[in-house]
Amino acid sequence: MRRTPFELAAVATAAVPGLTPMAAASAPDDAADFDSALLLDSEGKRWRVRSPRHPEASARLETEFMILRAFAPAIRAELPFLMPTVAGTVRQGALSTFVYAHLAGATRSIEELSSCSDALAKEIGVALAAVHDLPQSLVNNADLPSYTANEFRQRKLNELDQAATTGKIPPALLRRWEHALEDVALWRFNPCVVHGDLHEDNLLIDGDSVTAVTGWTDLRIGDPADDFAWLVASNEQRFVESVLRHYTEARRDTPDGHLLRRSALLAEFALAQYLVKALAAGHSDMTAEAEAMLKSLADDIEEQNALAAEEAEAAAAELATSELAAAERAAADGLAAPAVVMASEAKASEGDSAKPTVSVTAIPESAGDSANGTASTPEAPSEADDTSTTALQIVEPAPLQDAKDH
């Protein structure tokens, strides 16, 4: 049963002795896992209460509590944002409710963030870079998960197998994700500290500043693309590129070239994970929602692929036509050469023993011929399933190859 803000306020008084709530309001959070509220006490101070809805969510809060204690004051001082501080906790049965000191700022929707100023995009990029540049000893000393690039890829393969067993993933998506996960080059990255649950509800914004980052339940060493998946899901290329540019400038390590492509793949795959979670919880509404989103994604990708194929055919036809015209012009220009030579030879036959003033040259090769006289042959378009992220408009399509000369 969901707890109201006033019920959470009552629980908070047991967690923080002396706390006297005067007002309470709901706070945004993961509704499937937590009940949350913002409180105002008699002294004008604000607090946030998070109460888990099931034992797994409670374990996540307890893990976060351990993680937050691992951030020593010296480490926190180096970060460009604030982090939560636990003021108190109370255990009720198998569940633990946590009360946090209030952090300034408010959450914004992904639509609001994706249309934000470059100044705020820079703040987000710098915040991401600061997380990814955290010392890995912080995670290792806290005995938190740590994955190499290959281990991370293998985990995703295992998760894909689990999702496939549901029988509810569109076959086109399964093939798309399988092909991407089999592309070993795509998964060559330098593991770093990642937040692991970063999205718009875990960023507190004030004006054009990121004031705090919350939700530290999944801190680990892994793929930095994990923390970009929510960004690319916005489908706002300008916003994503701006954040990435500032992130790259702020990071000590140079990001790999496949970062956004993996991020887009992870954003898509998150729908499959949502389906598995809904089925495990026996939540019919969540399951239906996940199935609908997966079907919509599959339809969008199919439409994007069909449109890209049409554009490629049109561009290839236009290129072939222009090259044919260029070849015909080149051939026509080359035919003039023998006439000049013939005039020179006629002059010599009239008794002029001097060397012709115009030397004999071969007819120019047709445009597009290679140096050895052979023409390049176009590759046939692949009919394999697309494993790029065109549906999210992250990866630019590959350039067309030259058409065969006529």
Side-chain angles (χ1 to χ4, degrees):
M1 178 180 292
R2 187 171 298 280
R3 293 185 174 183
T4 67
F6 295 104
E7 290 174 328
L8 293 176
V11 174
T13 60
V16 182
L19 174 61
T20 305
M22 301 299 291
S26 296
D29 211 323
D30 186 345
D33 295 330
F34 304 103
D35 295 320
S36 296
L38 292 177
L39 308 181
L40 179 67
D41 70 9
S42 57
E43 298 179 359
K45 294 181 181 180
R46 297 184 180 184
W47 310 83
R48 185 186 185 191
V49 185
R50 298 188 81 193
S51 181
R53 305 199 69 197
H54 49 80
E56 181 185 351
S58 182
R60 288 176 59 193
L61 289 183
E62 291 170 3
T63 298
E64 182 186 43
F65 181 39
M66 177 187 67
I67 291 171
L68 293 176
R69 287 193 300 178
F71 279 83
I75 295 178
R76 291 187 178 227
E78 293 294 324
L79 296 173
F81 51 79
L82 296 176
M83 295 182 61
T85 300
V86 176
T89 180
V90 60
R91 191 170 185 85
Q92 297 174 299
L95 308 180
S96 296
T97 296
F98 286 77
V99 180
Y100 303 83
H102 175 70
L103 293 170
T107 60
R108 294 187 187 176
S109 68
I110 189 62
E111 291 78 17
E112 291 173 321
L113 288 177
S114 60
S115 60
C116 72
S117 65
D118 186 67
L120 182 52
K122 179 179 180 180
E123 286 274 310
I124 296 173
V126 170
L128 278 166
V131 173
H132 294 174
D133 281 337
L134 283 168
Q136 295 190 15
S137 59
L138 178 72
V139 171
N140 294 327
N141 292 342
D143 199 25
L144 295 171
S146 177
Y147 306 106
T148 65
N150 188 57
E151 288 171 341
F152 183 83
R153 172 175 164 269
Q154 187 59 53
R155 282 178 58 84
K156 292 303 173 186
L157 282 168
N158 295 341
E159 291 172 4
L160 179 60
D161 289 341
Q162 182 183 13
T165 60
T166 66
K168 296 179 179 294
I169 308 294
L173 291 181
L174 285 177
R175 291 193 299 269
R176 174 183 174 86
W177 295 337
E178 286 171 355
H179 292 166
L181 286 167
E182 289 169 359
D183 183 359
V184 178
L186 180 63
W187 301 93
R188 290 181 183 142
F189 60 85
N190 291 329
C192 65
V193 176
V194 296
H195 182 279
D197 189 31
L198 200 61
H199 50 77
E200 62 272 22
D201 288 341
N202 284 334
L203 291 179
L204 297 183
I205 310 295
D206 184 12
D208 284 337
S209 300
V210 174
T211 57
V213 177
T214 62
W216 296 86
T217 57
D218 295 308
L219 191 73
R220 57 181 177 266
I221 295 174
D223 187 356
D226 258 351
D227 288 344
F228 276 86
W230 69 282
L231 284 169
V232 299
S234 70
N235 277 336
E236 291 294 335
Q237 188 171 355
R238 181 201 61 81
F239 171 55
V240 175
E241 289 178 348
S242 181
V243 172
L244 179 63
R245 182 178 71 256
H246 293 300
Y247 167 83
T248 302
E249 293 172 352
R251 276 217 68 185
R252 290 195 291 268
D253 190 16
T254 302
D256 67 278
H258 296 299
L259 175 65
L260 288 188
R261 187 181 172 200
R262 287 199 314 280
S263 301
L265 174 67
L266 294 173
E268 292 179 8
F269 192 57
L271 298 181
Q273 294 171 309
Y274 182 63
L275 173 65
V276 172
K277 184 177 181 180
L279 288 170
H283 201 301
S284 59
D285 290 341
M286 286 175 58
T287 300
E289 182 184 25
E291 289 186 77
M293 289 190 294
L294 285 164
K295 183 180 184 305
S296 178
L297 174 61
D299 291 343
D300 287 346
I301 291 174
E302 182 179 357
E303 182 179 348
Q304 292 272 347
N305 290 343
L307 180 60
E310 291 178 3
E311 293 177 347
E313 290 179 4
E318 182 179 354
L319 180 61
T321 300
S322 62
E323 289 194 344
L324 175 60
E328 290 175 345
R329 287 195 299 270
D333 291 341
L335 290 174
V340 174
V341 173
M342 289 171 63
S344 302
E345 291 173 346
K347 182 177 179 181
S349 65
E350 292 175 356
D352 185 357
S353 60
K355 186 176 181 180
T357 57
V358 180
S359 60
V360 178
T361 58
I363 296 176
E365 295 178 340
S366 298
D369 289 348
S370 61
N372 59 8
T374 60
S376 59
T377 303
E379 294 182 359
S382 173
E383 296 180 357
D385 292 285
D386 176 34
T387 59
S388 70
T389 52
T390 52
L392 294 174
Q393 301 178 352
I394 299 303
V395 180
E396 294 294 331
L400 295 171
Q401 297 195 13
D402 292 340
K404 184 175 180 180
D405 297 321
H406 296 276

